[in-house]
Amino acid sequence: MNCANSRPFTVLVEGNIGSGKTTFLEHFRQFEDITLLTEPVEEWRNLKGWNLLDLMYSDPAKWAMTFQAYVSLTMLEMHRRPTSTPVKLMERSIFSAKYCFVEQMKRLGTLHPAQFAVLDEWFKFINTEIPVEADLIVYLKTTPSIVYDRIKKRARSEEQCVPLSYIEELHKLHEDWLINRTHADCPAPVLVLDADLDLSQITEEYKKSEHQILRKAV
Ligand code: DGT
């Protein structure tokens, strides 16, 4: 077997909190030959009994660094996880952790510049020394007020204190990264989908990505 062909076609699913990334992945469960890797939120909520997500939201100045260090590790593990299928769909990535969340925490001052510098060095090392492959990014683009309402409705306990301004800033950071391309490295071409649509209409929108993703699965 040609080694060059053994790497799966890797799709990163990105978008604001509450944009429907998990629902998008679930849409592809009906197809064969695709590995779905959902975000390890449950690991973040229970590391040896500690809820790091809750600690981070409850006292960001104290816990942001710890949380981001663990996010980086769990994301890297997902990027590197061997798959036997020709297509791999992954919820989020080490890139959105860096360009959206870590950047947001730096701007808000919840990460000290020295802590940011350490995470930045880790990111640069990973990016140059450890292969993190991506072939397509699906960007589930949303309006901040719409995802804010969804977040309130789904009522994940840790997220109840998240203000609309946090979601708006996170939206801008996704746009800067994926649309305005303000960072030198965007690891793959970006397919933009309208993820404001409600559940009754979203399947049609998701189908727009099937061609690009499924043709790799045969
Ligand atoms: P979905 O299916 O689009 O509704 O996806 P969510 O909202 O379940 O998943 P996501 O990744 O947007 O957010 C999960 C929670 O974890 C949310 O409270 C934000 C937080 N989160 C995710 N990644 C990071 C990260 O790298 N840093 C920080 N600070 N928070 C993160």
Side-chain angles (χ1 to χ4, degrees):
M1 189 184 194
N2 181 350
C3 277
N5 293 333
S6 62
R7 183 175 87 70
F9 182 81
T10 302
V11 182
L12 308 180
V13 183
E14 301 282 1
N16 210 336
I17 301 173
S19 57
K21 296 177 289 297
T22 307
T23 315
F24 180 86
L25 260 76
E26 283 305 317
H27 173 79
F28 283 87
R29 197 172 289 284
Q30 61 185 303
F31 302 109
E32 286 176 10
D33 284 341
I34 300 186
T35 298
L36 306 177
L37 296 180
T38 51
E39 195 173 42
V41 180
E42 289 316 310
E43 290 177 43
W44 306 344
R45 293 173 113 178
N46 184 3
L47 173 65
K48 298 189 169 37
W50 299 105
N51 184 338
L52 297 182
L53 185 67
D54 190 48
L55 289 170
M56 184 272 294
Y57 277 127
S58 309
D59 190 350
K62 183 170 178 187
W63 291 102
M65 176 74 188
T66 308
F67 179 72
Q68 289 308 145
Y70 194 53
V71 167
S72 300
L73 177 67
T74 55
M75 281 294 168
L76 186 58
E77 191 275 323
M78 272 170 69
H79 282 293
R80 303 286 298 142
R81 198 179 301 171
T83 50
S84 56
T85 58
V87 176
K88 167 174 165 179
L89 251 64
M90 217 182 119
E91 184 175 358
R92 284 206 187 280
S93 63
I94 203 147
F95 302 101
S96 47
K98 160 76 175 145
Y99 293 134
C100 302
F101 288 95
V102 169
E103 183 63 30
Q104 166 111 315
M105 289 171 160
K106 179 186 78 168
R107 292 184 188 183
L108 290 173
T110 46
L111 277 176
H112 187 282
Q115 295 173 319
F116 176 82
V118 171
L119 290 172
D120 197 40
E121 289 302 309
W122 266 110
F123 180 77
K124 282 190 214 149
F125 176 81
I126 290 167
N127 220 6
T128 51
E129 302 295 331
I130 305 173
V132 169
E133 282 117 2
D135 300 288
L136 177 70
I137 296 178
V138 174
Y139 173 33
L140 301 179
K141 187 179 166 92
T142 50
T143 304
S145 58
I146 290 182
V147 287
Y148 181 73
D149 287 345
R150 286 184 198 158
I151 293 165
K152 291 284 152 203
K153 274 198 198 116
R154 83 175 169 199
R156 194 182 267 160
S157 59
E158 297 89 344
E159 293 169 349
Q160 288 315 293
C161 57
V162 174
L164 177 59
S165 58
Y166 188 91
I167 301 299
E168 287 170 340
E169 288 309 309
L170 215 42
H171 171 73
K172 282 188 208 147
L173 288 163
H174 280 85
E175 292 277 302
D176 282 347
W177 173 40
L178 297 171
I179 306 286
N180 306 324
R181 308 294 182 103
T182 51
H183 300 286
D185 84 293
C186 182
V190 179
L191 173 69
V192 183
L193 297 182
D194 176 1
D196 276 348
L197 299 168
D198 64 30
L199 276 178
S200 62
Q201 297 168 302
I202 201 76
T203 306
E204 284 310 307
E205 189 67 13
Y206 288 168
K207 281 185 177 164
K208 291 181 185 168
S209 68
E210 284 179 7
H211 172 68
Q212 283 190 54
I213 295 173
L214 295 178
R215 73 196 165 107
K216 306 290 177 181
V218 290

